[in-house]
């Protein structure tokens, strides 16, 4: 079956800012309060789309969500106030809550969903499970709109199923309340603290913890991090994945800032680029390669980076593993890395990439570095900004006929015009209380969805 991979790029919204909202994410924590540029952030995401298109990739665009997220503010200030008044009250009484409600974090599309395409699944359908993003309140609020967006995009795509986010606590009546709400309540003192509950069972952050090596679906989970084994197993089961492998993340690297597997490993087709400390069991990389070989009758090309070559801290700072590896039309592969690989530590990470490029035992023949600093300052590199959806010809053609999400020059120009009109050049947390920003976001979203025929 011939598949075309659509690389969906998540677009930042007009409220893109640095809230320091993810405690386990080094870049997010250390850039709290910095001045952001939503306009530059959007332009940088579009430059990533262009770099992919220039290398023969099929690119899709995901519209930003509406922020601030009014339902969250209404939960904390349960009055009959309208959106503008809620924003103004939150700015005065609970600025931390307003920052969470304003996060533009849906741009990190790798956390939108887990995808297994038709050939991987027993029923021959394309399955997509929207992530429930339970770890952080500012991300949990993405799930319902992401589900609606994906359902709209794939509505007329034959043999495709968009699943809703997993219920995080199926054994409890008040499903969406749990430990994260308790933490949120401590972080944002509330007029009406929500009830606290037992821990959450099903934590899912989507494709950032899933690697597709040919037909082999590797699900990476942890006890200490953002992806639980129960969630990964449920997704594999619901999708009917024929070849699934569950691999445990190394808790030590999570503590050093590897909050998703895609911060320490990246794969494409028959290539796996991984740090030696990525998994709890150092034999897991060999196990993955063995299972791959059994399924495909050919060897997996494993490129292991040793701690002596690049430490975990250096990997987290440079985001070398958060690169995208893509297959070009001639069958060779390219790596799209963030510019930081060449800037930090005397370009040590970039030298490693050049070594990989020069090594004829792998298909990688091009290294591209991009300035994605606006996203990088929140811990989002090239791989965070994309959701890969491999599609059959009939599925792709239906998608193209019924929506306008697949990028071409006209769509990019249309999106750029919206960005120029509604995105601030600069933004700090103190501007989030201005209802005009919310109105700009509403117009942006209406125009963007109309342009994309959604
Ligand atoms: O969930 N940062 C995101 C970054 C997600 C990166 N995605 C992948 N690795 N696939 C997160 O931690 C920070 C927002 C802030 O601090 O304002 C944030 O949400």
């Amino acid at each position: 079956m011939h598949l075309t991979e659509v690389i969906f790029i998540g677009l930042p919204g007009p409220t893109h800012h640095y809230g320091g909202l993810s405690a386990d994410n080094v870049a997010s924590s250390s850039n709290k309060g910095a001045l952001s540029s939503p306009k530059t952030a959007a332009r940088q995401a579009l430059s990533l789309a262009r770099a992919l298109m220039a290398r023969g990739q099929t690119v899709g665009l995901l519209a930003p969500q509406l922020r601030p997220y009014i339902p969250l503010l209404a939960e904390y200030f349960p009055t009959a106030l309208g959106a503008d008044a809620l924003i103004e009250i939150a700015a005065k009484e609970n600025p931390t809550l307003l920052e969470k409600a304003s996060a533009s974090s849906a741009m990190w599309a790798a956390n939108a969903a887990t995808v297994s395409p038709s050939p991987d699944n027993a029923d021959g359908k394309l399955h997509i499970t929207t992530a429930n993003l339970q770890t952080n309140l500012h991300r949990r609020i993405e799930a319902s709109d992401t589900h609606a967006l994906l359902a709209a995009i794939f509505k007329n795509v034959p043999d495709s199923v968009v699943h809703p986010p997993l219920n995080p606590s199926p054994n409890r009546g008040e499903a969406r309340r749990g430990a994260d709400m308790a933490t949120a309540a401590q972080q944002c003192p509330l007029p009406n603290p929500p009830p606290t509950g037992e821990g959450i069972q099903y934590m899912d952050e989507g494709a950032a913890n899933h690697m597709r090596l040919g037909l082999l679906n590797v699900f990476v989970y942890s006890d200490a991090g953002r992806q639980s084994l129960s969630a990964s197993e449920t997704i594999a089961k619901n999708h009917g994945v024929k070849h699934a492998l569950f691999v445990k993340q190394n808790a030590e690297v999570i503590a050093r800032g590897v909050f998703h597997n895609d911060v320490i490993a990246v794969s494409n087709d028959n290539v796996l680029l991984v740090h030696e400390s990525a998994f709890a069991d150092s034999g897991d990389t060999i196990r993955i390669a063995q299972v791959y070989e059994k399924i495909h009758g050919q060897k997996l090309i494993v490129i292991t980076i040793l701690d002596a070559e690049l430490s975990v801290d250096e990997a987290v700072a440079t985001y070398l593993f958060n690169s995208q590896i893509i297959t070009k039309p001639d069958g060779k592969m390219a790596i799209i890395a963030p510019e930081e690989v060449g800037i930090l530590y005397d370009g040590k990470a970039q030298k490693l990439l050049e070594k990989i490029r020069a090594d004829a035992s792998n298909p990688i023949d091009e290294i591209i570095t991009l300035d994605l600093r606006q996203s990088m300052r929140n811990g989002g590199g090239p791989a965070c900004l994309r959701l890969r959806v491999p599609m059959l010809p009939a599925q792709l053609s239906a998608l193209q006929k019924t929506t306008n999400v697949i990028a071409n020059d006209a769509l990019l120009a249309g999106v750029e015009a919206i960005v120029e009109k509604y995105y601030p050049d600069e933004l700090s947390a103190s501007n989030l209380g201005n209802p005009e920003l919310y109105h700009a976001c509403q117009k942006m979203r209406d125009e963007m969805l109309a342009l994309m025929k959604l």
Side-chain angles (χ1 to χ4, degrees):
M1 276 195 257
H2 175 74
L3 291 171
T4 300
E5 181 175 278
V6 179
I7 304 178
F8 281 92
I9 299 294
L11 294 169
T15 59
H16 161 72
H17 72 286
Y18 302 116
L21 304 178
S22 295
D24 56 357
N25 168 341
V26 176
S28 158
S29 310
S30 54
N31 288 306
K32 180 178 169 58
L35 202 63
S36 67
S37 172
K39 197 177 268 177
T40 309
R43 287 179 184 152
Q44 289 177 350
L46 290 170
S47 77
L48 171 62
R50 285 208 167 86
L52 290 165
M53 287 160 72
R55 283 153 190 93
Q57 306 301 297
T58 303
V59 171
L61 297 181
L62 294 177
Q65 298 192 353
L66 178 57
R67 292 290 180 269
Y69 187 68
I70 301 302
L72 180 65
L73 301 182
E75 217 176 300
Y76 284 72
F77 299 101
T79 65
L81 297 173
D84 288 15
L86 273 172
I87 291 167
E88 281 165 352
I89 287 185
K92 250 190 251 140
E93 294 191 17
N94 200 335
T96 308
L97 179 69
L98 182 61
E99 288 209 40
K100 292 180 190 218
S102 303
S104 172
S105 45
M107 68 201 266
W108 297 301
N111 307 121
T114 305
V115 178
S116 61
S118 288
D120 296 15
N121 308 320
D123 64 1
K125 293 186 178 175
L126 163 64
H127 284 268
I128 301 173
T129 295
T130 313
N132 69 14
L133 289 162
Q134 288 296 300
T135 307
N136 291 300
L137 180 60
H138 72 284
R139 302 227 54 188
R140 200 200 70 198
I141 58 176
E142 293 166 31
S144 58
D145 285 357
T146 297
H147 179 232
L149 180 67
L150 293 173
I153 292 174
F154 291 93
K155 187 170 162 213
N156 297 302
V157 171
D159 294 322
S160 71
V161 186
V162 176
H163 301 262
L166 295 180
N167 182 341
S169 318
N171 301 326
R172 286 188 24 242
E174 251 292 68
R176 292 200 166 268
R177 306 279 187 202
D180 73 331
M181 288 302 275
T183 317
Q186 281 158 16
Q187 286 165 2
C188 342
L190 301 174
N192 297 302
T196 57
E198 318 90 79
I200 289 163
Q201 258 174 288
Y202 294 82
M203 298 169 71
D204 173 28
E205 305 237 337
N209 299 309
H210 172 246
M211 297 187 289
R212 189 175 173 267
L213 296 153
L215 294 170
L216 175 60
N217 285 247
V218 179
F219 293 85
V220 184
Y221 68 93
S222 70
D223 301 331
R226 298 190 187 188
Q227 183 80 33
S228 56
L229 175 60
S230 54
S232 297
E233 283 178 340
T234 306
I235 292 166
K237 190 166 147 255
N238 290 348
H239 290 201
V241 171
K242 288 182 279 189
H243 304 288
L245 199 60
F246 300 92
V247 173
K248 191 170 179 179
Q249 233 191 325
N250 179 356
E252 280 169 34
V253 303
I254 297 176
R256 305 204 73 86
V258 181
F259 56 97
H260 288 139
N261 175 63
D262 69 6
V263 176
I264 196 99
V266 55
S267 74
N268 184 52
D269 195 7
N270 61 342
V271 173
L272 172 63
L273 172 62
V274 61
H275 191 276
E276 66 169 328
S277 310
F279 307 126
D281 182 338
S282 57
D284 275 334
T285 306
I286 294 168
R287 190 160 67 100
I288 294 171
Q290 283 168 342
V291 178
Y292 176 89
E293 195 173 340
K294 215 162 149 197
I295 299 167
H296 294 92
Q298 61 170 43
K299 286 211 177 306
L300 181 71
I301 299 168
V302 180
I303 306 166
T304 304
I305 304 291
L306 304 176
D307 205 66
E309 295 174 296
L310 195 75
S311 70
V312 172
D313 291 345
E314 289 165 344
V316 169
T318 59
Y319 257 37
L320 172 122
F321 295 95
N322 204 260
S323 299
Q324 291 193 29
I325 309 181
I326 54 168
T327 305
K328 296 184 283 185
D330 65 1
K332 293 285 185 190
M333 295 189 190
I335 295 190
I336 302 190
E339 251 179 24
E340 281 74 359
V341 294
I343 295 170
L344 303 173
Y345 312 110
D346 287 332
K348 186 174 175 177
Q350 181 143 13
K351 282 178 204 134
L352 280 173
L353 288 174
E354 290 302 338
K355 203 172 121 195
I356 293 169
R357 189 185 56 76
D359 180 352
S361 68
N362 72 62
I364 295 156
D365 74 348
E366 187 183 7
I367 308 295
I368 304 135
T369 57
L370 291 181
D371 176 3
L372 296 170
R373 208 144 306 143
Q374 285 291 322
S375 170
M376 284 286 286
R377 285 196 188 121
N378 261 337
C384 299
L385 286 161
R386 60 110 198 247
L387 181 69
R388 313 167 91 169
V389 185
M391 300 180 79
L392 294 170
Q395 292 170 333
L396 180 56
S397 83
L399 178 72
Q400 282 175 304
K401 269 193 207 118
T402 55
T403 68
N404 186 33
V405 296
I406 300 296
N408 53 31
D409 289 342
L411 179 62
L412 292 179
V415 169
E416 247 154 22
I418 295 171
V419 167
E420 295 307 316
K421 231 193 308 181
Y422 298 118
Y423 283 54
D425 284 307
E426 278 186 352
L427 189 67
S428 74
S430 58
N431 309 130
L432 295 172
N434 182 355
E436 286 309 316
L437 185 60
Y438 175 66
H439 298 155
C441 206
Q442 277 178 314
K443 288 186 197 139
M444 170 286 294
R445 180 143 166 101
D446 289 348
E447 291 184 25
M448 203 85 96
L449 292 181
L451 176 65
M452 295 180 185
K453 298 204 182 118
L454 294 170

